[in-house]
Amino acid sequence: MNMPFLDCNTVMKTIIFYATKHGAAGEIARRIADKMDGAVMHDLKQGEIPSLNDFDRIIIGSSIYAGTIRREAKAFLSKNAGLLREKKPGLFLCGMDTSRKKKYFDANFPPDMLQTAKTTGFLGGIFDPKKAGILERLIMKAVAKQSVYMNTIDDAKIERFVTAMNA
């Protein structure tokens, strides 16, 4: 029996969907895309969603505020849950509080999607007081004792995430 084979030079088509408020999730998506041949990015706030069937690998990421992912990410996950489970997506979150990462994943993704995901990662975040509203600045100052620009995006975690997606 003749078995089909995959040409070693075939590049898997990858799309990275992201939802961001101030740009950190977009920056992380860009860093992931830079490490994956032919990866394309799509901001979930922008235009029509490309067909998921056109891609071999799907990555979804969102910033997290008060323990919740962006509403665009929630809507995308809800609408495409069945197909996403079949595709074994990569899931990432970005934010400043890494101490609650498991809680954030559990609260924002269905358990079966987390179980079928190829990988997950909490990849850091950016706090830029110039982009934050007054309420966000007050919360960061009161809760996190943070009032100046801070970037915790972790390139080593991004590299591990990409390696897991490529496996």
Side-chain angles (χ1 to χ4, degrees):
M1 174 164 88
N2 288 336
M3 298 293 291
F5 68 94
L6 180 62
D7 180 352
C8 292
N9 295 320
T10 301
V11 175
M12 294 187 78
K13 292 172 66 178
T14 304
I15 188 163
I16 305 164
F17 292 101
Y18 66 94
T20 191
K21 184 172 184 176
H22 298 300
E27 174 61 20
I28 290 171
R30 184 195 60 75
R31 291 185 192 192
I32 292 170
D34 286 349
K35 296 177 180 298
M36 301 183 87
D37 290 339
V40 295
M41 297 170 36
H42 183 83
D43 184 340
L44 289 169
K45 288 192 274 188
Q46 304 298 317
E48 191 170 323
I49 303 293
S51 172
L52 302 183
N53 290 317
D54 293 341
F55 297 92
D56 304 303
R57 293 183 293 203
I58 298 171
I59 297 171
I60 304 113
S62 178
S63 55
I64 192 153
Y65 290 90
T68 304
I69 60 175
R70 306 282 307 148
R71 70 178 173 272
E72 302 87 22
K74 278 185 184 182
F76 176 78
L77 289 166
S78 177
K79 181 178 179 183
N80 298 289
L83 186 56
L84 287 171
R85 286 181 192 97
E86 291 173 24
K87 294 277 189 172
K88 297 185 178 181
L91 307 171
F92 76 85
L93 294 174
C94 72
M96 302 304 289
D97 182 8
T98 61
S99 70
R100 297 182 187 146
K101 60 187 171 189
K102 181 174 177 4
K103 180 180 177 182
Y104 294 151
F105 275 103
D106 290 346
N108 289 285
F109 298 97
D112 57 335
M113 188 176 293
L114 286 171
Q115 291 171 352
T116 60
K118 182 110 178 175
T119 190
T120 62
F122 197 99
L123 305 177
I126 298 173
F127 173 68
D128 185 348
K130 292 178 185 173
K131 291 182 178 180
I134 185 87
L135 184 58
E136 291 170 308
R137 289 194 307 269
L138 288 172
I139 290 170
M140 283 298 287
K141 191 171 187 174
V143 175
K145 309 296 186 240
Q146 182 65 38
S147 60
V148 297
Y149 179 88
M150 187 166 143
N151 182 335
T152 64
I153 294 175
D154 189 326
D155 286 318
K157 288 181 181 178
I158 290 171
E159 186 64 43
R160 287 191 296 275
F161 184 90
V162 168
T163 298
M165 285 303 298
N166 285 332

